[in-house]
């Protein structure tokens, strides 16, 4: 699988696209709210113009969702690289082994210090900073999408209801036309059969009046039918927009869920990498420093993150993610088949029996 582009440039591009989409999304919602059956311009002209803008917005929105998924994936990949680097610390260096010939205690002290001083901690902190920024962007998208969806759906329901009443009026008009034409035909059949000439002229006048009324209602029915068809075209367009908003909200839910679970993974790796009881270690990760990923950090502070539980939830979140974004179905070749963190092992400090003495 191809490597994702650099996070920072991709994040900046997603932020710019999100701002442009927000303006176009506001236009689409306003267009639905301002829709009426009376237009000074050609119905086809208006539809073609709005259809182009709505479809362009839906396409741009899909591109933004793909970029957000790429960002979530890139952080997950970076986490995998950090975890892989941690594996390199599982063995002893030649210098540490030589120290062990003299003192096993000194050997493990050297090993522990090397692990503690590794740049992995700083890389994890950078990942948490990026995770916080991405969580803020996704949460902002979800909030604005929810607001737009609520307004657009409410306006669309009104338009659909208006068309339903219009269809009812068309049905009533057709029944009236049928009734008037039937009366006119009956009157025509009576002319020349019953009464005198004066009576026949009166019936002819009634027949003409019935036909005229039928023709007037027919003209109104034709206008209402054209209006109904026009509304139907726009309703289809507006419904596609509302459906896209609903789908994007669902996508944001999937992205948020995966991102926060991935944050838990990063915190567990951090916890396994350092002795969080050492002064200055745990204080570097506080909810107020990362407000948009505060929930998993509060669990981290309370020591409530459990690797075994995380593995089950992460597997489910990854499955939802790949279902929503099939591009990421196949894992990267270099880490295929290997867990991102070894949840079967405890941290090195406590896993090695030599450190218990």
């Amino acid at each position: 699988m191809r490597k994702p582009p650099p996070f920072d440039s991709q994040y900046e591009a997603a932020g710019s696209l999100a701002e442009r989409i927000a303006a176009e999304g506001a236009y689409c919602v306003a267009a639905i709210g301002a829709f009426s059956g009376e237009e000074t311009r050609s119905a086809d002209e208006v539809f073609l113009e709005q259809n182009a803008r709505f479809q362009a917005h839906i396409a741009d929105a899909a591109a933004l969702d793909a970029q957000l998924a790429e960002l979530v994936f890139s952080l997950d990949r970076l986490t995998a690289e950090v975890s892989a680097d941690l594996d390199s610390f599982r063995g002893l260096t030649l210098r540490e082994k030589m120290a062990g010939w003299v003192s096993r205690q000194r050997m493990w002290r050297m090993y522990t210090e090397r692990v503690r001083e590794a740049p992995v901690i700083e890389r994890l902190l950078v990942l948490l900073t990026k995770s916080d920024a991405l969580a803020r962007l996704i949460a902002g998208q979800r909030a604005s999408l929810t607001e737009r969806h609520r307004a657009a759906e409410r306006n669309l329901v009104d338009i659909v209801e208006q068309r339903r009443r219009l269809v009812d009026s068309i049905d009533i008009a057709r029944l009236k036309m049928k009734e008037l034409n039937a009366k006119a035909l009956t009157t025509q059949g009576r002319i020349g059969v019953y009464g005198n000439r004066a009576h026949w002229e009166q019936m002819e006048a009634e027949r003409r009046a019935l036909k005229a009324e039928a023709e007037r209602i027919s003209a109104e029915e034709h206008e209402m039918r054209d209006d109904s068809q026009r509304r139907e075209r726009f309703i289809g367009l507006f419904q596609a927009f509302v459906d896209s908003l609903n789908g994007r909200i669902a996508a944001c839910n999937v992205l948020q869920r995966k991102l926060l679970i991935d944050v838990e993974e990063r915190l567990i790796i951090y916890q396994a990498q350092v002795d969080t009881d050492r002064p200055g270690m745990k204080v570097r990760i506080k909810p107020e420093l990362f407000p948009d990923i505060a929930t998993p950090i509060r669990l981290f502070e309370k020591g409530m993150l459990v690797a075994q539980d995380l593995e089950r939830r992460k597997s489910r979140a990854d499955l939802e993610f790949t279902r929503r974004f099939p591009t990421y179905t196949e894992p990267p070749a270099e880490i295929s088949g290997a867990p991102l963190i070894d949840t079967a092992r405890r941290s090195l400090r406590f896993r090695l029996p030599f450190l218990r003495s």
Side-chain angles (χ1 to χ4, degrees):
M1 181 182 287
R2 84 262 186 284
K3 288 187 176 182
F7 179 90
D8 293 338
S9 60
Q10 186 80 348
Y11 180 84
E12 184 178 350
S16 299
L17 182 56
E19 291 179 3
R20 180 159 58 87
I21 286 177
E24 281 299 304
Y27 165 82
C28 293
V29 173
I32 298 175
F35 178 82
S36 68
E38 299 177 1
E39 294 285 352
T40 57
R41 293 187 295 163
S42 163
D44 289 338
E45 179 185 353
V46 174
F47 179 81
L48 290 175
E49 176 186 301
Q50 291 199 354
N51 183 63
R53 293 192 68 168
F54 272 66
Q55 295 300 336
H57 171 75
I58 292 173
D60 287 343
L64 175 59
D65 289 347
Q67 288 187 6
L68 294 175
E70 186 82 63
L71 288 167
V72 172
F73 167 76
S74 67
L75 290 182
D76 198 3
R77 186 185 180 91
L78 290 171
T79 304
E81 292 176 0
V82 171
S83 182
D85 287 346
L86 278 175
D87 288 338
S88 66
F89 295 121
R90 297 190 186 280
L92 296 170
T93 65
L94 178 60
R95 183 167 172 267
E96 290 162 354
K97 290 178 180 178
M98 291 177 64
W101 296 343
V102 178
S103 170
R104 297 185 65 82
Q105 184 178 11
R106 183 167 182 268
M107 176 184 72
W108 291 115
R109 186 169 60 250
M110 291 172 60
Y111 169 81
T112 301
E113 289 300 320
R114 176 169 63 87
V115 172
R116 286 175 177 172
E117 297 303 322
V120 172
I121 296 173
E122 296 303 324
R123 290 169 64 188
L124 286 170
L125 291 174
V126 170
L127 279 176
L128 291 175
T129 300
K130 292 179 177 180
S131 299
D132 189 64
L134 182 53
R136 181 164 53 254
L137 178 58
I138 295 174
Q141 280 295 295
R142 190 186 186 285
S144 62
L145 287 169
T146 301
E147 183 179 352
R148 279 183 223 148
H149 181 269
R150 187 180 299 113
E153 188 174 49
R154 182 174 58 250
N155 292 331
L156 178 58
V157 168
D158 291 340
I159 296 171
V160 171
E161 181 61 23
Q162 290 168 5
R163 181 176 180 273
R164 188 191 66 78
R165 291 195 295 267
L166 190 60
V167 170
D168 290 342
S169 297
I170 292 172
D171 291 338
I172 293 172
R174 287 173 176 171
L175 289 174
K176 285 183 178 180
M177 283 191 302
K178 184 177 181 180
E179 180 182 352
L180 290 169
N181 285 327
K183 285 183 179 180
L185 187 61
T186 300
T187 302
Q188 182 179 354
R190 294 174 60 190
I191 297 175
V193 178
Y194 302 103
N196 53 32
R197 178 176 292 278
H199 191 205
W200 297 343
E201 291 176 353
Q202 181 184 353
M203 285 192 293
E204 175 63 16
E206 290 177 0
R207 187 193 69 80
R208 290 177 180 175
L210 290 170
K211 291 296 292 183
E213 180 65 10
E215 290 174 359
R216 183 188 68 80
I217 294 176
S218 177
E220 290 182 353
E221 187 270 344
H222 184 74
E223 290 180 359
M224 289 189 293
R225 184 155 32 91
D226 288 345
D227 190 17
S228 175
Q229 292 173 351
R230 174 181 176 276
R231 288 174 182 272
E232 186 177 15
R233 293 176 71 193
F234 279 92
I235 286 173
L237 175 60
F238 297 159
Q239 185 65 59
F241 172 72
V242 171
D243 289 345
S244 74
L245 292 177
N246 190 56
R248 293 195 62 212
I249 292 172
C252 284
N253 291 339
V254 171
L255 293 172
Q256 280 184 318
R257 188 177 301 113
K258 174 168 173 54
L259 179 60
L260 290 180
I261 289 177
D262 288 350
V263 167
E264 289 187 34
E265 179 186 38
R266 286 152 207 156
L267 291 169
I268 286 179
I269 294 176
Y270 181 88
Q271 192 168 266
Q273 172 66 7
V274 302
D275 181 356
T276 52
D277 292 331
R278 287 179 63 197
M281 281 293 138
K282 209 164 186 178
V283 76
R284 302 178 75 179
I285 301 179
K286 305 287 287 184
E288 52 268 28
L289 299 178
F290 306 96
D292 294 281
I293 54 173
T295 300
I297 290 179
R298 290 191 183 96
L299 296 176
F300 167 76
E301 283 188 315
K302 297 176 182 178
M304 296 176 63
L305 293 180
V306 180
Q308 287 76 7
D309 174 65
L310 170 67
E311 195 163 289
R312 174 181 54 82
R313 291 185 294 111
K314 179 173 173 57
S315 176
R316 187 164 60 242
D318 286 347
L319 181 60
E320 292 177 359
F321 178 76
T322 54
R323 282 176 179 170
R324 188 75 196 187
F325 304 99
T327 304
Y328 307 100
T329 298
E330 295 296 329
E334 58 267 32
I335 61 171
S336 177
L340 294 184
I341 56 175
D342 189 352
T343 56
R345 303 181 183 179
R346 303 175 65 182
S347 69
L348 293 175
R349 178 174 175 81
F350 297 98
R351 185 174 62 85
L352 297 175
F354 304 101
L355 297 182
R356 296 176 183 271
S357 58

